[in-house]
Amino acid sequence: PFILFPRQRELVDFIYQCLATENNGLLEKCRDMGATWIAAAVSVHIWRFVSEAAVGWGSRKQELVDNLGIPDSILEKIRILIRNLPRIFWPRGFSPDDHMPFMRIINPENGSSIQGETGDNIGRGGRKLIYFVDEAAHLERPEKIQAALDDNTRVQIHISSVNGLGNVFHKKREAGVEWHP
């Protein structure tokens, strides 16, 4: 079972509050607390239970977003979560081989999807219900990506470890309001 720490449960609440209020969020992450895993699990929940939802994931390099069979990549983490769901929770007609190709995960029952994008192409795809940007402080051209995401989704969750001062992630962090459960 995926048993959450209290702080991880708060993160789930935070993401869903951002979604409900159509506000962006920022997660300053540290090692081994599972921020990306929690966001991946929320993505799976949306994919499974929200019809016609498109969830986006982006990062600076393709192998960070999707590298088939390598659990360090985000979409492979999501595949692991889905494969480990009890079969009763799989969508009707779902086949891992057919519905989890490279850079996409498709729910054939309700039309939802989880899609990956990389580098300057983050946010260039169709509209998304929510978009997660992993390692946002390490993007090469964050202003370009931000402009694309602003037209793509009403809810952006930027997740990153710190990368010094003055970058876009740091400026957002300093300009934001701390969330309290």
Side-chain angles (χ1 to χ4, degrees), residues 135-147:
E135 292 301 343
H138 302 271
L139 296 171
E140 194 172 325
R141 287 180 280 282
E143 295 87 357
K144 188 174 185 177
I145 292 165
Q146 186 61 54

Side-chain angles (χ1 to χ4, degrees), residues 67-110:
N67 198 349
L68 292 169
I70 307 297
D72 289 341
S73 69
I74 297 160
L75 266 67
E76 194 61 25
K77 283 176 173 57
I78 293 170
R79 288 184 190 96
I80 290 168
L81 290 167
I82 292 169
R83 283 186 193 107
N84 283 291
L85 287 173
R87 297 299 181 261
I88 195 166
F89 289 115
W90 281 16
R92 270 192 302 272
F94 178 73
S95 163
D97 292 336
D98 296 335
H99 296 108
M100 295 197 296
F102 182 69
M103 297 294 258
R104 283 182 302 150
I105 299 173
I106 302 156
N107 181 330
E109 183 178 355
N110 70 8

Side-chain angles (χ1 to χ4, degrees), residues 106-165:
I106 302 156
N107 181 330
E109 183 178 355
N110 70 8
S112 291
S113 64
I114 301 170
Q115 301 163 25
E117 297 172 322
T118 62
D120 290 345
N121 291 319
I122 294 172
R124 299 277 171 224
R127 303 288 181 248
K128 305 289 186 289
L129 175 67
I130 187 169
Y131 206 106
F132 296 92
V133 180
D134 198 45
E135 292 301 343
H138 302 271
L139 296 171
E140 194 172 325
R141 287 180 280 282
E143 295 87 357
K144 188 174 185 177
I145 292 165
Q146 186 61 54
L149 283 173
D150 286 345
D151 291 336
N152 180 296
T153 185
R154 292 187 175 135
V155 182
Q156 301 171 38
I157 306 293
H158 293 258
I159 306 168
S160 191
S161 53
V162 296
N163 186 24
L165 305 176

Side-chain angles (χ1 to χ4, degrees), residues 5-104:
F5 303 134
R7 190 71 171 154
Q8 291 171 322
R9 286 192 296 273
E10 290 175 5
L11 176 52
V12 172
D13 292 341
F14 170 72
I15 294 169
Y16 277 109
Q17 185 175 358
C18 288
L19 201 54
T21 59
E22 293 187 347
N23 282 306
N24 296 331
L26 182 139
L27 305 173
E28 190 175 326
K29 69 179 183 178
C30 60
R31 287 266 168 229
D32 298 326
M33 287 307 294
T36 303
W37 276 102
I38 297 301
V42 168
S43 298
V44 170
H45 184 261
I46 293 168
W47 169 85
R48 180 59 188 100
F49 296 108
V50 180
S51 293
E52 302 293 325
V55 176
W57 273 92
S59 192
R60 60 192 167 89
K61 295 192 309 187
Q62 174 200 303
E63 53 271 7
L64 297 174
V65 177
D66 200 3
N67 198 349
L68 292 169
I70 307 297
D72 289 341
S73 69
I74 297 160
L75 266 67
E76 194 61 25
K77 283 176 173 57
I78 293 170
R79 288 184 190 96
I80 290 168
L81 290 167
I82 292 169
R83 283 186 193 107
N84 283 291
L85 287 173
R87 297 299 181 261
I88 195 166
F89 289 115
W90 281 16
R92 270 192 302 272
F94 178 73
S95 163
D97 292 336
D98 296 335
H99 296 108
M100 295 197 296
F102 182 69
M103 297 294 258
R104 283 182 302 150

